[in-house]
């Protein structure tokens, strides 16, 4: 290769992704000429009949990481695929392979894609034709030679999940005719169309990954967790019909129920389905209460294949210290000097070497993501004298515009006594103001301080009732938060978490940049269990994380005070999951050391100023090399 061509590769004169790939760039030599790049890739197993292999990269000829402009490979046989792409010989390029299907409108759905932290790379080619042979999912970074491949994110398709995740799903008329404890369930699309795909997960340890349905359905009994995961083109969402078929354990069709996707109003809800007898259509065997969730594509700018941090948590990282609500809870006796979930509290945790902070996000009535823990707040009209708790009003954040929220008086009840705190507008110190917006936090905190963004969504309780009313659409909520984090939060360690399993599913499939944790309270004596069976135990949470490829879980500390705690955490690690332990049981130096010792990925606790491990001199992410890695999140 000539010196001039080498300068084009190493110097700043190369302008990737602009102009015609076959035309010499300004200042290029004759040695930088059109050439043919041959990409050959071998699969470890054949693709499904409707699946194809795609290629994208950082140059225009490979689509500049965009799904819509990617290159289709041609099948040579069941396992070998090939594409020949004309481009400049001096191009140094990065690229990835992915598996996709195409719907009737020509839109591609990403089934699986290579998710190595660093894309594949190729140097310049000095020949008229250069050939490259790869194995799908395996690069030089795979020291164990295991493919690193994950499911894609939504673009022009929607995910519909039908959830058998409760205790009392069926109301049966005759147990002899229809026994819901010994039944096989199957979802059958009435109309077949390109891009429609039905899978399921039956959640048990190590076996929870999504897969194809058996011929006679999925065996189901009470307290099983079975979720049907349906992908379909967005344009078919209001037109598709399905049939739920119920088989006996001897594979006899007992009955069925019909459902129409147009009946699925909003992002989530509850279907009431009569199971009609296969022998007599007028006979109702049972009635089914079936929860559903609909996951829509991220509504703002399209995402790309450039990089992903969704599964990036290297084993070499130490146990991290996470400041709970910043420097800890404040509406209690002996609280820290900074109010929780304020910029001052976050900066205090940072000053005391916390690696990350955890914060809580709500959406106001006018769609502003704000930071506060509870779903609502105690308040009173201006000028009213308050001496007793019963004089206070309780209002939900979702019902208040942000401008009004900043004016409201704020109260807490501590040991039976009413305490008033400055409202947002009454606090002269900007960093100490309650209800900072998510954008303010992302813009004002140092990049080296990681953030666990907890999405607050009320849960239904096992005994009935809900933590709070929620009338904001779940997809709208998720998109609003994602938009601000993608636009303002890139370049720092960020992870999403939520107690709501469906919100975690949304965050996982709407984007491919940030990791997502399933936050659970597990088996606890402190609170009433939630209705969703996935929240009840640590292992149930681990199984759900495996099913939908979450980064891991954020379990409650109470689950890990017994002798089997290291074994439980190891089970999560064996599946490649992280576990960030949180709770009041973390709040001492001894407990922080204990959770580190038994193998927690990170420990989330109050009072970084009091309980930070002795001798820690600096937060982990205060590393120029790490910050340079996270800067790659930024698309602009």
């Amino acid at each position: 290769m000539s010196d001039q061509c080498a300068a084009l590769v190493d110097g700043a004169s190369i302008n990737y992704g602009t102009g015609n790939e076959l035309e010499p760039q300004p200042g290029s030599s004759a040695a930088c000429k059109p050439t043919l790049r041959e990409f050959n890739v071998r699969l470890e197993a054949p693709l499904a009949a409707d699946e194809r292999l795609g290629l994208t990269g950082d140059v225009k000829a490979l689509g500049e990481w965009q799904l819509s402009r990617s290159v289709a490979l041609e099948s040579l046989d069941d396992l070998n695929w090939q594409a020949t792409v004309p481009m400049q010989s001096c191009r140094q390029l990065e690229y990835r392979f992915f598996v996709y299907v195409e719907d009737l409108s020509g839109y591609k759905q990403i089934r699986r894609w290579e998710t190595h932290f660093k894309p594949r790379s190729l140097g310049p080619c000095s020949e008229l034709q250069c050939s490259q042979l790869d194995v799908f999912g395996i690069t030089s970074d795979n020291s164990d030679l295991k493919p690193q491949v994950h499911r894609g994110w939504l673009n022009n398709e929607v995910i519909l999940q039908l959830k058998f995740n409760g205790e009392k799903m069926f109301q049966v008329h005759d147990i002899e005719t229809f026994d819901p404890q010994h039944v096989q369930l199957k979802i059958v699309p009435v109309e077949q169309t390109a891009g429609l795909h039905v899978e399921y997960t039956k959640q048990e340890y190590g076996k929870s990954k999504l897969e194809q349905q058996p011929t006679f359905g999925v065996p189901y009994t009470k307290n099983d967790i079975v979720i049907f995961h349906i992908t379909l083109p967005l344009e078919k969402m209001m037109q598709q019909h399905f049939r739920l078929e119920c088989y006996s354990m001897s594979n006899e069709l007992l009955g069925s129920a019909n459902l129409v996707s147009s009946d699925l109003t909003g992002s989530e809800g509850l279907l009431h389905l009569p199971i009609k007898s296969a022998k007599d259509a007028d006979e109702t065997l049972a009635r089914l209460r079936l929860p559903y969730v609909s996951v829509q594509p991220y509504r703002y700018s399209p995402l790309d294949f450039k990089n992903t941090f969704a599964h990036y948590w290297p084993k070499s990282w130490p146990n991290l210290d996470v400041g709970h609500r910043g420097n800890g809870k404040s509406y209690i006796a002996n609280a820290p000097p900074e109010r929780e979930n304020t910029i001052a509290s976050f900066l205090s945790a940072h000053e005391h070497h916390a690696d990350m902070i955890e914060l809580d996000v709500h959406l106001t009535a006018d769609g502003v993501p704000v930071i506060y823990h509870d779903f609502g707040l105690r308040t009173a009209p201006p000028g009213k004298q308050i001496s007793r708790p019963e004089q206070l009003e309780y209002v939900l954040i979702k019902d208040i515009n942000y401008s009004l929220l900043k004016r409201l008086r704020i109260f807490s009840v501590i040991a039976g006594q009413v305490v008033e705190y400055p409202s947002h507008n009454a606090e002269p110190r900007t960093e100490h103001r309650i209800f900072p917006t998510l954008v303010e936090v992302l813009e004002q905190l140092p990049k080296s301080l990681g953030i666990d963004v907890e999405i607050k969504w009320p849960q239904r309780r096992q005994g009935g009732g809900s933590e709070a009313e929620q009338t904001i659409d779940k997809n709208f909520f998720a998109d609003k938060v994602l938009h601000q984090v993608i636009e303002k939060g890139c370049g720092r360690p960020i992870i999403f978490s939520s107690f709501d399993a469906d919100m975690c599913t949304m965050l996982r499939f709407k984007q491919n940049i940030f990791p997502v944790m399933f936050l659970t309270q597990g088996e606890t004596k402190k609170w009433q269990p939630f209705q969703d069976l996935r929240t009840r135990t640590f292992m149930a949470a681990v199984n759900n994380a495996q099913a939908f490829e979450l980064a891991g879980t954020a379990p409650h500390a109470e689950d890990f005070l017994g002798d089997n705690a290291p074994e439980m955490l190891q089970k999560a690690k064996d599946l490649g999951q992280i576990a960030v332990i949180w709770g009041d049981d973390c709040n001492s130096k001894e407990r922080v050391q204990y959770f580190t010792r038994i193998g927690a990925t990170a420990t989330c606790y109050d009072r970084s100023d009091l309980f930070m491990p002795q001798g820690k001199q600096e937060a982990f992410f205060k590393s120029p090399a790490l910050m340079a890695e996270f800067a790659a999140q930024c698309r602009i």
Side-chain angles (χ1 to χ4, degrees):
M1 181 173 64
S2 70
D3 292 340
Q4 189 173 359
C5 195
L8 280 172
V9 175
D10 298 327
S13 61
I14 284 187
N15 187 7
Y16 290 111
T18 60
N20 190 324
E21 295 291 350
L22 297 182
E23 292 180 358
Q25 298 298 306
S28 65
S29 72
C32 297
K33 55 194 176 184
T35 188
L36 293 175
R37 286 277 194 175
E38 186 178 275
F39 296 87
N40 294 277
V41 61
R42 182 173 176 81
L43 305 172
E44 293 197 322
L47 300 181
D50 60 341
E51 292 180 338
R52 298 291 181 267
L53 201 62
L55 164 68
T56 187
D58 63 347
V59 297
K60 189 171 184 177
L62 298 182
E64 299 172 309
W65 300 122
Q66 297 299 315
L67 175 64
S68 61
R69 291 160 45 208
S70 58
V71 175
L73 282 79
E74 295 294 330
S75 173
L76 302 179
D77 54 43
D78 284 350
L79 298 179
N80 293 283
W81 292 70
Q82 184 184 85
T84 302
V85 184
M87 62 180 62
Q88 279 290 321
S89 62
C90 286
R91 287 293 192 192
Q92 180 169 327
L93 56 95
E94 294 183 335
Y95 63 105
R96 298 181 191 271
F97 295 106
F98 64 98
V99 175
Y100 70 95
V101 297
E102 200 167 286
D103 67 21
L104 294 176
S105 298
Y107 292 121
K108 296 183 178 72
Q109 299 176 9
I110 308 165
R111 285 274 173 90
R112 302 178 293 284
W113 68 298
E114 295 182 322
T115 52
H116 307 91
F117 183 64
K118 295 180 180 179
R120 298 178 184 275
S121 62
L122 284 177
C125 165
S126 59
E127 306 295 331
L128 289 177
Q129 182 164 345
C130 295
S131 181
Q132 176 70 18
L133 177 60
D134 295 304
V135 178
F136 182 64
I138 298 177
T139 71
S140 57
D141 294 335
N142 292 75
S143 56
D144 56 3
L145 295 182
K146 292 182 179 179
Q148 186 164 330
V149 175
H150 291 94
R151 288 171 174 266
W153 64 99
L154 297 176
N155 288 274
N156 293 284
E157 68 274 22
V158 63
I159 289 172
L160 169 63
Q161 289 191 345
L162 305 174
K163 305 178 297 176
F164 291 80
N165 64 333
E167 292 172 298
K168 298 178 181 179
M169 303 290 297
F170 291 95
Q171 179 184 1
V172 180
H173 294 196
D174 182 358
I175 195 70
E176 296 296 328
T177 306
F178 184 89
D179 182 359
Q181 301 227 34
H182 300 89
V183 68
Q184 299 180 98
L185 306 172
K186 186 174 184 179
I187 295 294
V188 179
V190 175
E191 306 92 359
Q192 296 294 333
T193 186
L196 173 60
H197 192 47
V198 180
E199 301 167 280
Y200 81 97
T201 169
K202 183 173 183 178
Q203 299 191 1
E204 52 184 306
Y205 179 72
K207 303 176 182 178
S208 300
K209 290 184 178 181
L210 290 168
E211 57 185 312
Q212 302 299 311
Q213 299 179 94
T215 302
F216 295 101
V218 184
Y220 172 81
T221 190
K222 183 180 178 181
N223 292 332
D224 278 350
I225 299 172
V226 174
I227 297 175
F228 292 95
H229 182 96
I230 305 167
T231 306
L232 68 158
L234 194 57
E235 63 185 21
K236 297 291 184 181
M237 181 57 194
M238 303 305 291
Q239 307 167 10
Q240 185 66 44
H241 295 72
F242 297 96
R243 185 170 61 253
L244 170 65
E245 295 181 344
C246 302
Y247 291 86
S248 70
M249 301 310 292
S250 58
N251 300 334
E252 176 191 359
L253 180 62
L254 301 174
S256 63
N258 295 314
L259 59 124
V260 186
S261 53
S262 59
D263 292 338
L264 310 177
T265 57
S267 294
E268 58 184 347
L270 187 66
L271 296 171
H272 297 267
L273 301 177
I275 309 295
K276 294 294 186 177
S277 170
K279 297 178 180 178
D280 182 357
D282 293 328
E283 180 185 0
T284 299
L285 300 178
R287 297 188 182 276
L288 170 65
R289 291 165 51 88
L290 183 61
Y292 67 86
V293 63
S294 171
V295 185
Q296 305 283 333
Y298 175 59
R299 63 187 298 183
Y300 297 100
S301 56
L303 304 177
D304 59 41
F305 290 92
K306 180 181 177 183
N307 52 42
T308 177
F309 292 75
H311 300 275
Y312 182 62
W313 201 291
K315 295 178 182 178
S316 59
W317 284 6
N319 173 278
L320 300 184
D321 296 285
V322 182
H324 183 228
R325 306 183 202 173
N327 197 33
K329 292 183 290 188
S330 58
Y331 302 109
I332 57 172
N334 303 315
E338 316 86 7
R339 269 199 284 179
E340 66 179 55
N341 273 321
T342 61
I343 291 172
S345 185
F346 302 144
L347 291 174
S348 177
H350 179 255
E351 179 185 345
H352 292 96
H353 312 309
D355 304 300
M356 305 183 75
I357 54 93
E358 177 270 345
L359 53 77
D360 307 283
V361 181
H362 295 269
L363 217 58
T364 62
D366 52 344
V368 178
V370 297
I371 313 305
Y372 190 70
H373 178 265
D374 292 353
F375 292 101
L377 55 128
R378 293 183 173 95
T379 189
K384 182 177 181 179
Q385 295 297 313
I386 302 295
S387 58
R388 303 185 312 277
E390 56 267 26
Q391 295 177 286
L392 297 172
E393 302 173 25
Y394 188 78
V395 294
L396 295 174
I397 291 175
K398 64 133 183 127
D399 293 329
I400 309 169
N401 287 346
Y402 187 55
S403 59
L404 174 58
L405 186 63
K406 292 189 289 185
R407 300 197 302 268
L408 290 182
R409 298 171 70 187
I410 306 296
F411 295 85
S412 182
V413 179
I414 301 174
Q417 300 299 310
V418 176
V419 180
E420 183 170 7
Y421 298 85
S423 68
H424 176 101
N425 288 349
E427 173 57 72
R429 301 167 298 171
T430 304
E431 292 174 348
H432 288 261
R433 287 176 178 165
I434 194 172
F435 305 123
T437 66
L438 179 58
V439 166
E440 289 170 342
V441 170
L442 294 172
E443 290 181 337
Q444 295 182 40
L445 295 189
K447 294 281 191 181
S448 59
L449 180 60
I451 302 178
D452 170 6
V453 180
E454 182 189 336
I455 308 295
K456 301 293 287 189
W457 195 266
Q459 296 299 289
R460 298 198 64 80
R461 299 187 178 94
Q462 179 186 22
S466 177
E467 291 181 293
E469 181 189 47
Q470 178 59 278
T471 53
I472 298 174
D473 181 81
K474 187 174 282 188
N475 276 286
F476 176 81
F477 192 123
D479 284 345
K480 277 287 187 180
V481 176
L482 275 174
H483 181 57
Q484 293 196 351
V485 172
I486 290 171
E487 292 292 311
K488 303 292 186 180
C490 70
R492 73 163 78 244
I494 283 183
I495 192 164
F496 285 103
S497 63
S498 181
F499 280 104
D500 187 81
D502 297 332
M503 179 62 78
C504 291
T505 300
M506 282 190 172
L507 295 168
R508 161 61 183 87
F509 288 105
K510 281 177 176 286
Q511 56 86 40
N512 65 333
I513 305 172
F514 305 107
V516 181
M517 298 185 298
F518 184 21
L519 180 57
T520 62
Q521 64 181 33
E523 298 177 86
T524 178
K525 298 177 182 177
K526 298 182 179 182
W527 306 288
Q528 184 180 342
F530 292 144
Q531 187 179 77
D532 191 333
L533 292 174
R534 294 174 288 180
T535 67
R536 300 283 184 86
T537 67
F538 172 61
M539 292 315 302
V542 166
N543 296 340
N544 190 69
Q546 184 190 31
F548 305 119
E549 296 186 342
L550 308 182
T553 61
H556 187 230
E558 195 176 353
D559 276 337
F560 300 95
L561 301 180
D563 294 337
N564 65 336
E567 178 186 349
M568 292 169 63
L569 288 172
Q570 188 58 50
K571 284 189 172 184
K573 289 181 180 179
D574 289 344
L575 297 179
Q577 297 183 16
I578 64 174
V580 178
I581 296 180
W582 64 278
D584 290 344
D585 292 307
C586 298
N587 290 339
S588 71
K589 282 192 173 183
E590 294 75 20
R591 282 290 172 80
V592 172
Q593 293 172 356
Y594 164 75
F595 288 118
T596 300
R597 189 170 64 251
I598 66 172
T601 307
T603 309
C604 181
Y605 54 92
D606 296 323
R607 304 305 298 266
S608 298
D609 58 336
L610 299 180
F611 306 138
M612 187 63 59
Q614 190 171 358
K616 185 172 183 178
Q617 298 298 316
E618 191 173 65
F620 175 64
F621 294 113
K622 280 189 175 180
S623 158
L626 280 172
M627 286 294 95
E629 287 185 352
F630 283 100
Q633 293 173 341
C634 300
R635 273 19 186 197
I636 300 175

